[in-house]
Amino acid sequence: IDLAIQSAREAFRLFTEAVAGRSTHRIVGSGSGVPDTLYARLRVGLGLRPSAPVVEDFVASPLLPGRPLRVLGIDPFAEGPFRPTLLGEGSGQEVVALLSRPRGVFISAATAEAAGLGAGDSLPVLVNGRVRSLAILGALEPADELSRRALHDLLIMDIAQAQELLGQVGRIGRVDLILP
């Protein structure tokens, strides 16, 4: 029982770190989020460098019926201190891919396998009553089972593309901060 409890706690911690990151504080808005100009004011105007904007919502895919997929829109240049292992520890190819491919996403390897998809394929998703196509850039493949479970059904996108996809242009869901 102790082993099962510890395993569940570790899985929850890894999921929280993968999605929420290592933030110490968070600015959230009610309902529709906060204006994305707030992020620029915090980071540039006030000099709060360890800050990261996030857009987050759920979508569905006809290829994965009954499984909500969490879209996590991030600024890949601000992510380092918050979710350092989210996109892997490559040479920055992931960042280039996120910024250069319209509606490009990284998807968990298990979710891609369940949908029968791989890099270069398209994932149809239902967003606000409309079917949209997302381009799979690659699979997130953590080294251990707990980390794999933490990223289950997660889609990582560039924040601007996530805003457009989710109908949240000009708004962000939250700003993660690391404050002393």
Side-chain angles (χ1 to χ4, degrees), residues 19-35:
V19 176
R22 297 177 177 163
S23 60
T24 60
H25 295 75
R26 184 180 277 178
I27 297 173
V28 296
S30 61
S32 64
V34 297

Side-chain angles (χ1 to χ4, degrees), residues 147-168:
S147 296
R148 275 191 289 280
R149 279 193 261 157
L151 298 177
H152 192 67
D153 293 340
L154 184 66
L155 306 174
I156 308 297
M157 294 185 81
D158 170 64
I159 190 164
Q161 294 186 42
Q163 287 173 309
E164 185 274 326
L165 174 74
L166 300 169
Q168 299 177 19

Side-chain angles (χ1 to χ4, degrees), residues 27-85:
I27 297 173
V28 296
S30 61
S32 64
V34 297
D36 55 12
T37 55
L38 174 69
Y39 172 65
R41 214 170 21 185
L42 291 170
R43 190 162 172 103
V44 178
L46 297 177
L48 293 175
R49 301 304 293 167
S51 55
V54 177
V55 170
E56 189 174 15
D57 208 343
F58 288 92
V59 298
S61 175
L63 299 180
L64 298 162
R67 285 174 70 172
L69 303 173
R70 180 187 301 261
V71 174
L72 187 66
I74 60 169
D75 175 352
F77 296 111
E79 278 301 300
F82 294 91
R83 290 164 279 273
T85 60

Side-chain angles (χ1 to χ4, degrees), residues 4 14 30 46 59 69 73 75 89-90 99-100 102 104-105 111 121 128 130 134-135 137 139 145 147 149-150 153 169:
L14 289 169
S30 61
L46 297 177
V59 298
L69 303 173
D75 175 352
E89 298 177 18
L99 297 175
S100 63
V105 297
T111 304
D121 291 334
N128 300 324
R130 298 173 65 187
L134 303 179
L137 303 172
E145 180 60 29
S147 296
R149 279 193 261 157
D153 293 340
V169 175

